[in-house]
Amino acid sequence: MIELFAFNDPEATDLAVSGGKGANLAQAAAHLPVPPGLIVGSAVYREFIKPLRAPIRAVLADATRDHAARSAAIQALLLAQPLPDALADLLHGRMAALDMLEGPVAVRSSGTLEDLPGAAFAGQHDTLLGVRGVDAVLEAIRRCYASLWNAHVLPYRERLGLDHLTASMAVVVQKMVRVGPDEAAGVAFSIDPVRGALDQVLINAAFGLGESVVGGEAPVDEYRVRRGDLAEVESVVVEKPIALVDSESGGTREVELDAENATRAALDPDQRKAVAQLALAAETHFGFPQDIEWAWQDGKLYLLQSRAVTRIPARWTRDESAERFPNPITPLTWDLCEAGFHASLNYSFQLMGLPPFGDKWFAMHDNYIYGNQNAVELYRGRTPVKMLRDVDAIRAALPEIAERFGWVQELPVRWMRDLDTYLLGIGALMQEPLEGRSLAQLWDYVQRINALGSRYFLPNIAISLTQATLYGALLSMLRLALPEDEARQVFDRLMAMADTKTGQVNGELWALSRCARRDAALATAFADVDSTVLLEQLPQHPEFAAEFAAFLSRHGHRELDFDAYHPTWLEAPTVVLDQLRILVAQSEPQHGRGEHAQRAAQLEMEHRVLSHAPDDLRYLVREVIRLARAYTALDDLEHYQTTRLHLPFRRGLKAIGAQLVERGVLAEPMDVYFVPLEILDQALTSGDLAPITPAAATHKAGYLAACARTPDWVHGEMDVVIDAGAQVLKGLGGSPGSVEGEVFVVRSPEDFPKFPKDAILVARTTNPAWTPLFYRARGVITESGGPLSHGAVTARELGLPAVMGVRQAMNLLTDGQRVRVDGRAGTVELL
């Protein structure tokens, strides 16, 4: 079937039909100055190559040929294969309709695998300029098809794990912008991806056609323009002795410029502003920063290509990572989860209609995890909240919201369905006998755990991102009807309660504490005896011991830390006893009655909000409220289930470590966590274990050093010291309310038993294992996190004022110091 699409054809925007370049041009043509053209759909390539699939597969399987030889053989097959007969006639008619028969056209490859995560294929396939006449266009199409098999493309696809024969090619045939030797063309970025300046447009320009700029083979002028007011920030004008122009005989030719023209700026100030405006217009159209190709002809500016900017210099900070990864991480734990994390991140961006990020979002430096803050800023604010700027905009956006974001309603259902497969997999792995297995077999076991975890985790970051987006959407809608302060109060009331797994586990802990209080001797032991001794005494209290064992069988996979190097509750039950000690000391918890009152207030507030919503928007408002609560619970449940991986991981790696200790390679079984994945994999696969010993020693020393220090907030930069004499510390409001009290700094679970009643909890961050402390606390202060963090959600449920993200709080506050916590203003006042 011959598929030719005009840029304004609705099907042309489908990447699978038009490839990356074609789909982007089709989208841009609706609102931006794109020269006319058409797209030869990818189905034409698939039909063209069908008779060649078997011989191509044979060439690929020939181990005697290198990539260059394979490329040459496959391209010879394609260049000898005739195109479908009907294509010439159909192409002639379409080109005539677009007035493209006489003048030159550009024929551009447009691969369907372009714009995959980490697979831009930039410059990998061919573009032919100055093509004249249908016969020449047909030959150019064939050459584009052959370029799918360029020698440098084969290893590129193999490195990405892509099947060569799944790759397909659409071709863009576009009226050429005939840039003269005294006119300019080039590229522009709506942000500066070289310096990481998100407030500047970067422009590269040269005289003549822009291929010399795109190819990086010729000197170019460089301009930087401020996004806000289009003021010029910097300009660098170089000598450009050659201009590339189209040739009347076909193709392109070079024109030598005289000294005066070669040294003048390719763009005057007004043209620079116009190019910057075009780059910003492309960003607005696509909803994401763009890398564009542009050209001037006869005083008119054209857009030739547009693609998302998905790489930017990293700026590593703890802004996004301190809450998730508060403590140092062992190399093996991070190496095992890093790839799965980034796969999940790009899967989430795909769901949200955002381009994939082509670099690392998180990375480990000196055993601490840092986030790429430039990447965060690049993607921040690209969510559909902008559709909610006013009531009319919401009404207009309803069809788009239903079309683009239906997956938000479906994801929880799909996730719960797939959860069964994951849990069955965990159960099967835990039942596998490991005794008598070789190191290679044990390593295979660990890799299977990792594969299971990666598959399960794929949609999980989408859950967290969607929760944040729903919170933003709900708050935006409330702001349309209410002043800022009142909107936040209503939001807090609506989101105060969520039925989370952590809440269920906490309820079971309270039940255990009541069981302990019924046994007077056990209650006394909780007050007087160390948890290690208490654990040994539990058989003397059979009712509690049975309930405690059942609790651990259900929830023993809960972690003390993200790092699987640390034991779980099942392996460190004294940590749970320390939590229970806090609850047993509460003669009768009052949170139950407060919970019922909060739930009633929440329902009442929801009724009031819905009664004031316009009739045609009431369903949307109700769904956003419902989904915001549902995703709060789902985000918590996802974390709870993810931690089930700790038990099989620790089981398999401990078995590997034990064998390495027996062979004299490691001093302790758990030292295997200090061996980076690449070294461990190579050693266990090859049988050469010698590199493990020095690697473990070096990285263990680095880890222990990291444990003894506070990480720089910005990697490579000394922390700015906050004035120790400052009377007010600023953070983010996490839970509304104001309270005064004495602070107590908790650095690890070892400090749990020391936490005094009615103190204000100060911590780097918290996780569900810390929840019992909240029942004794009057307020909460954390160094990291925000309104969606565990600490903020738990504080809101319990009605505790909380301020999150207070930098250096652990250093600036000391035990017993009195402060006033204002959870709405996000401040901590020193008294």
Side-chain angles (χ1 to χ4, degrees):
M1 178 180 178
I2 306 301
E3 292 183 335
L4 297 185
F5 302 97
F7 286 166
N8 61 0
D9 191 307
E11 287 186 71
T13 60
D14 186 346
L15 188 146
V17 170
S18 300
K21 290 188 188 73
N24 284 347
L25 279 173
Q27 291 180 52
H31 300 287
L32 299 169
V34 175
L38 56 87
I39 298 166
V40 182
S42 60
V44 179
Y45 171 82
R46 289 192 293 274
E47 188 66 25
F48 167 77
I49 203 174
K50 191 180 293 183
L52 303 177
R53 292 180 69 87
I56 288 174
R57 200 177 292 279
V59 172
L60 292 172
D62 185 351
T64 65
R65 305 191 204 211
D66 61 12
H67 286 118
R70 290 175 188 171
S71 168
I74 293 171
Q75 288 186 330
L77 290 171
L78 267 67
L79 292 173
Q81 176 75 4
L83 289 164
D85 294 335
L87 179 59
D89 291 340
L90 190 56
L91 190 62
H92 187 281
R94 293 292 183 90
M95 289 179 65
L98 294 170
D99 192 25
M100 292 165 55
L101 285 177
E102 300 302 325
V105 299
V107 182
R108 304 179 187 274
S109 304
S110 184
T112 57
L113 295 184
E114 293 174 3
D115 300 323
L116 293 174
F121 285 91
Q124 300 292 318
H125 306 131
D126 291 358
T127 290
L128 296 97
L129 302 178
V131 182
R132 294 171 179 268
V134 173
D135 289 342
V137 169
L138 289 168
E139 184 56 31
I141 291 171
R142 197 197 323 268
R143 288 178 60 186
C144 285
Y145 288 167
S147 76
L148 192 62
W149 300 91
N150 282 341
H152 52 273
V153 175
L154 300 184
Y156 189 83
R157 278 199 293 263
E158 289 166 7
R159 181 177 62 81
L160 295 166
L162 302 172
D163 183 350
H164 291 297
L165 284 167
T166 62
S168 188
M169 176 73 76
V171 177
V172 176
V173 181
Q174 187 176 28
K175 191 169 186 177
M176 203 165 152
V177 178
R178 305 189 68 181
V179 186
D182 58 345
E183 297 175 308
V187 299
F189 303 85
S190 63
I191 59 170
D192 183 349
V194 178
R195 297 179 180 174
L198 304 184
D199 61 344
Q200 295 177 15
V201 178
L202 173 64
I203 302 169
N204 287 171
F207 291 116
L209 298 171
E211 292 307 300
S212 59
V213 181
V214 176
E217 299 166 354
V220 298
D221 291 350
E222 187 163 88
Y223 314 100
R224 285 179 167 85
V225 176
R226 195 159 51 228
R227 286 167 57 100
D229 57 6
L230 299 181
E232 190 167 287
V233 176
E234 180 183 0
S235 65
V236 178
V237 177
V238 300
E239 184 178 1
K240 304 168 289 296
I242 301 294
L244 186 72
V245 299
D246 70 274
S247 171
E248 292 295 335
S249 60
T252 59
R253 62 186 177 90
E254 291 184 348
V255 175
E256 289 190 23
L257 302 180
D258 59 39
E260 180 181 353
N261 283 315
T263 55
R264 71 180 176 88
L267 295 177
D268 64 35
D270 287 340
Q271 287 178 315
R272 297 168 202 175
K273 286 184 179 181
V275 172
Q277 287 174 319
L278 180 61
L280 293 171
E283 176 179 321
T284 299
H285 178 74
F286 286 100
F288 201 82
Q290 294 291 297
D291 161 10
I292 69 168
E293 295 180 26
W294 53 268
W296 287 92
Q297 180 187 342
D298 299 331
K300 185 173 181 182
L301 178 61
Y302 293 92
L303 176 72
L304 306 182
Q305 285 195 52
S306 188
R307 64 183 71 83
V309 176
T310 58
R311 287 185 183 271
I312 191 167
R315 180 172 179 265
W316 298 111
T317 81
R318 297 276 289 162
D319 291 31
E320 293 295 311
S321 62
E323 180 194 345
R324 293 179 179 88
F325 314 109
N327 303 315
I329 305 293
T330 55
L332 185 57
T333 289
W334 181 247
D335 288 347
L336 284 168
C337 70
E338 184 182 20
F341 173 86
H342 285 99
S344 176
L345 184 73
N346 279 321
Y347 176 87
S348 305
F349 287 155
Q350 182 183 29
L351 281 177
M352 301 178 83
L354 296 172
F357 183 59
D359 219 323
K360 289 188 176 183
W361 195 272
F362 285 129
M364 187 165 75
H365 297 285
D366 302 326
N367 290 97
Y368 279 97
I369 306 304
Y370 285 80
N372 184 345
Q373 195 60 27
N374 277 344
V376 172
E377 296 297 331
L378 184 65
Y379 280 79
R380 181 174 286 161
R382 312 292 174 187
T383 62
V385 171
K386 64 183 179 182
M387 299 177 179
L388 312 177
R389 61 185 180 274
D390 56 54
V391 173
D392 288 339
I394 297 175
R395 286 194 175 100
L398 283 176
E400 184 180 358
I401 291 171
E403 180 181 354
R404 286 181 55 195
F405 303 107
W407 60 266
V408 174
Q409 294 172 306
E410 298 165 5
L411 181 59
V413 178
R414 294 204 314 267
W415 187 89
M416 291 300 296
R417 179 199 66 199
D418 295 340
L419 178 63
D420 290 341
T421 303
Y422 165 70
L423 294 178
L424 288 170
I426 291 285
L429 287 163
M430 288 299 292
Q431 292 301 312
E432 282 192 34
L434 301 186
E435 296 78 9
R437 292 196 178 184
S438 67
L439 282 173
Q441 290 171 328
L442 290 172
W443 185 232
D444 174 72
Y445 175 78
V446 170
Q447 289 176 311
R448 285 189 285 120
I449 297 167
N450 200 40
L452 174 68
S454 296
R455 289 193 299 271
Y456 155 76
F457 194 73
L458 195 61
N460 289 12
I461 291 179
I463 293 170
S464 297
L465 293 177
T466 304
Q467 181 195 5
T469 300
L470 287 164
Y471 273 42
L474 179 56
L475 195 51
S476 293
M477 290 192 290
L478 293 172
R479 285 172 178 148
L480 295 178
L482 300 168
E484 174 68 21
D485 228 27
E486 194 174 344
R488 286 194 169 277
Q489 290 179 33
V490 172
F491 174 85
D492 290 337
R493 189 73 63 84
L494 288 170
M495 299 308 302
M497 300 295 295
D499 295 319
T500 63
K501 190 68 175 181
T502 296
Q504 176 192 325
V505 175
N506 291 338
E508 294 184 33
L509 284 169
W510 276 112
L512 276 172
S513 74
R514 289 191 288 273
C515 179
R517 282 194 298 274
R518 288 196 298 269
D519 183 331
L522 181 58
T524 301
F526 265 108
D528 300 337
V529 177
D530 178 84
S531 291
T532 303
V533 177
L534 181 59
L535 183 65
E536 297 172 353
Q537 296 177 353
L538 285 189
Q540 301 171 26
H541 309 277
E543 181 187 357
F544 178 85
E547 292 293 331
F548 187 63
F551 176 86
L552 289 179
S553 71
R554 291 191 296 272
H555 310 300
H557 61 279
R558 296 229 77 159
E559 84 288 13
L560 305 183
D561 191 276
F562 166 84
D563 194 343
Y565 174 66
H566 298 282
T568 65
W569 282 1
L570 190 64
E571 299 164 292
T574 55
V575 173
V576 185
L577 292 176
D578 285 339
Q579 296 180 48
L580 285 168
R581 187 188 308 279
I582 296 169
L583 302 184
V584 170
Q586 306 272 116
S587 59
E588 184 60 42
Q590 298 298 311
H591 73 288
R593 288 194 290 274
E595 178 182 331
H596 293 311
Q598 273 191 303
R599 217 172 269 283
Q602 185 183 56
L603 290 173
E604 180 187 354
M605 182 57 71
E606 180 178 348
H607 176 74
R608 286 174 57 192
V609 168
L610 292 176
S611 66
H612 285 84
D615 291 346
D616 57 338
L617 299 181
R618 189 168 293 128
Y619 172 77
L620 175 65
V621 176
R622 180 187 291 113
E623 271 300 275
V624 170
I625 294 172
R626 181 187 73 81
L627 287 167
R629 292 174 184 157
Y631 272 83
T632 299
L634 188 60
D635 187 58
D636 181 76
L637 179 61
E638 169 271 310
H639 176 84
Y640 173 87
Q641 299 294 9
T642 298
T643 59
R644 290 189 185 276
L645 288 164
H646 277 61
L647 289 176
F649 261 134
R650 286 179 57 80
R651 180 173 179 252
L653 289 170
K654 187 175 182 180
I656 290 173
Q659 287 201 27
L660 293 176
V661 169
E662 289 176 7
R663 301 183 189 204
V665 176
L666 291 178
E668 300 175 25
M670 302 312 280
D671 283 355
V672 69
Y673 282 89
F674 299 112
V675 186
L677 176 61
E678 185 177 355
I679 294 174
L680 188 63
D681 180 63
Q682 177 65 25
L684 297 181
T685 303
S686 69
D688 178 11
L689 305 180
I692 290 178
T693 305
T698 299
H699 289 283
K700 185 172 185 178
Y703 174 83
L704 294 175
C707 291
R709 64 175 174 80
T710 299
D712 295 335
W713 196 262
V714 179
H715 180 63
E717 297 180 16
M718 292 292 291
D719 262 356
V720 176
V721 178
I722 297 175
D723 180 7
Q727 293 304 301
V728 177
L729 305 180
K730 191 74 177 84
L732 300 171
S735 177
S738 179
V739 68
E740 293 181 15
E742 296 182 354
V743 304
F744 187 85
V745 179
V746 178
R747 301 184 184 279
S748 72
E750 283 73 28
D751 295 329
F752 286 6
K754 308 170 194 171
F755 188 80
K757 191 174 187 308
D758 292 332
I760 291 175
L761 170 63
V762 179
R764 185 169 289 166
T765 188
T766 67
N767 65 34
W770 292 52
T771 305
L773 295 181
F774 285 65
Y775 294 109
R776 289 178 70 82
R778 291 172 59 82
V780 178
I781 302 168
T782 65
E783 282 193 341
S784 61
L788 299 183
S789 64
H790 165 267
V793 171
T794 304
R796 285 197 296 272
E797 288 186 356
L798 299 179
L800 298 177
V803 178
M804 333 309 292
V806 181
R807 294 273 298 278
Q808 301 182 32
M810 304 269 285
N811 297 329
L812 294 172
L813 300 175
T814 57
D815 293 349
Q817 186 174 4
R818 287 193 65 81
V819 301
R820 178 182 295 113
V821 175
D822 188 331
R824 187 170 299 286
T827 58
V828 177
E829 183 180 356
L830 311 186
L831 302 177

